[in-house]
Amino acid sequence: MTMTGTGGELGAALAAAAPTVTVVTDPAVLNAHRADHASTCPSGTPAALVRPRTTDEVAAVLRFASEHRIPVVPQGARTGLSGGANAVDGAILLSTEKMTTIAGIDADNQTATVQPGVINADFSRVVAAHGLFYPPDPASWEMSTLGGNAATNAGGLCCLKYGVTADFVRGLEVVLADGRVLRTGRSTAKGVAGYDLTRLFAGSEGTLGVITELTLALRPAAETPRTAIAFFTGMAPACDVVTEVMRAAVRPSLLELIDPVSLAAVSRHRDLGFPPGTTTVLITQSDDPAHAEAVLNGFAAAAGREGGEVLIADGPEEGRMFLATRRSVGLALEREGANLSEDVCVPRTRLRELVAGVGEISARTGVTIACTGHAGDGNMHPTMVFDAGDPAKAAAAGQAFDQVMALGLALGGTITGEHGVGVLKRDWLARELGPVGLEVHGGIKATLDPLGILNPGKVLARC
Ligand SMILES: Cc1cc2nc3c(=O)[nH]c(=O)nc-3n(C[C@H](O)[C@H](O)[C@H](O)COP(=O)(O)OP(=O)(O)OC[C@H]3O[C@@H](n4cnc5c(N)ncnc54)[C@H](O)[C@@H]3O)c2cc1C
């Protein structure tokens, strides 16, 4: 049976099938939940929003959806930047916002078990109180959920030293499309039994199952980092400093680049007090007491050779202030106009070519493109800033977006280092994966979601 009725009818049937679940069909509430932060991605009209609290409730919703062939779109905090959590027509939006239990922290084994709706920063503060540290720190960490972070395999500023979210996910509980509950991975430090299904679900963007519990690895609390900042009058020298710093025997724990467009956007809202003429900034940190001095000195020497002016933070507070400038770039750019945000990642040695190429694309298309990012990883966020109300400007932004993606691939990179494919880049995935890669992806999707109800139209264009 296929259920196609109005949201009200579907809501009533859903409430009967999953009586303990909060089901909302109020159009105003649905409208407020239909999209993430990728403002240019299309979103459909959902039929209902559910807010389960338990795995059993999620399973009941998915059994109902499978029986009636209704699409289900999992949603965390909808901070995604690729339209992955956007509604599709007639969908049940499955929000994890009420799944916020931290079930346990095992301080001796340095693991934690959590529900997916826990906010990253809340969790990080709780584990810190146990003398532990959860490194994955997307710039959205005060808003985004641990489930959303796992489903996008989110990165962040600490990735350079510690790795991405998947590196800290030991195991998952996942509700499959038909309502069966799958456990992947382990809680032990090592384990190679069977295929690595945990890695498969990390980054699957809600297309293979709904993550209902995560077993996360923790580390001992990190030392307070030491921070340095370098001011430049152009991007090229800053890129060369990145290459040189990353070649050194001891590496920083963070190395971020802020470009002229982003810096100007942030400066419009607060006086940064940077040296006159500064257009580009590099920020580095080391949280390794044994090597911090060497890292900061190496950074200062490299920046000096490239004509940069260097300031070493005189304490943690000043370090946090430098980093606050970087963390505020995303929201500052959103205030400048519509954003079409890229996430290309290239081999570090090609960073200078990427940045120069983005500059050429901006000049050619007449589109303003910011190019801030995690320079130490070669993962930059070229962001087209434009007036969405002007069709010609929107079209030019779309062309610039495609050209940047082509450039990233041509430089041996990937179309997404951390934000995921979602709707935004699904047409580009085939180019990166190739026909065999795409076929294998399609086979996995068909095995786990044979009816194609899980987040349809995301990641894989034809599913
Ligand atoms: C200001 C700002 C800064 C950002 N900085 C970064 C950054 O530094 N690094 C980075 O990687 N990203 C960054 N992002 C993007 C975004 O925050 C991340 O992608 C984040 O991981 C999304 O989490 P969320 O809870 O908001 O998930 P959502 O946006 O709600 O969902 C993201 C995807 O995961 C799926 N999903 C969510 N929960 C589940 C679940 N329980 N089970 C299965 N699928 C699920 C959704 O269907 C969707 O496909 C930033 C965003 C903003 C707005």
Side-chain angles (χ1 to χ4, degrees), residues 116-253:
V118 176
I119 300 296
N120 180 314
D122 293 343
F123 176 65
S124 296
R125 283 189 276 267
V126 169
V127 301
H130 289 258
L132 295 165
F133 172 40
Y134 178 65
D137 66 337
S140 59
W141 74 317
E142 289 283 2
M143 305 182 278
S144 61
T145 65
L146 294 171
N149 294 167
T152 54
N153 196 3
L157 276 59
C158 284
C159 288
L160 184 63
K161 174 171 177 180
Y162 294 101
V164 293
T165 301
D167 295 315
F168 292 85
V169 181
R170 292 246 179 109
L172 293 171
E173 178 188 79
V174 181
V175 178
L176 300 176
D178 58 9
R180 282 179 300 158
V181 179
L182 169 73
R183 282 206 162 266
T184 75
R186 58 207 154 74
S187 57
T188 50
K190 292 170 70 182
V192 292
Y195 298 138
D196 193 345
L197 298 182
T198 308
R199 282 267 174 182
L200 175 63
F201 281 96
S204 64
E205 301 184 47
T207 62
L208 301 179
V210 179
I211 298 167
T212 47
E213 190 179 271
L214 303 92
T215 302
L216 300 172
L218 304 170
R219 294 178 61 106
E223 296 292 327
T224 303
R226 291 192 57 201
T227 310
I229 187 166
F231 308 100
F232 298 90
T233 52
M235 290 279 272
C239 292
D240 291 344
V241 172
V242 171
T243 309
E244 193 173 334
V245 166
M246 293 308 294
R247 252 199 313 254
V250 283
R251 287 178 172 184
S253 53

Side-chain angles (χ1 to χ4, degrees), residues 36-37 73-81 84-85 96 116 137-140 143-145 147-149 151-152 154-157 205-206 209-211 330-331 334 374 418-419 455:
D36 66 11
H37 274 247
V73 178
Q75 293 188 331
R78 289 179 292 105
T79 67
L81 294 171
T96 61
D137 66 337
S140 59
M143 305 182 278
S144 61
T145 65
N149 294 167
T152 54
L157 276 59
E205 301 184 47
V210 179
I211 298 167
L331 294 177
E334 284 185 4
H374 314 299
E418 57 181 24
H419 292 168
N455 217 0

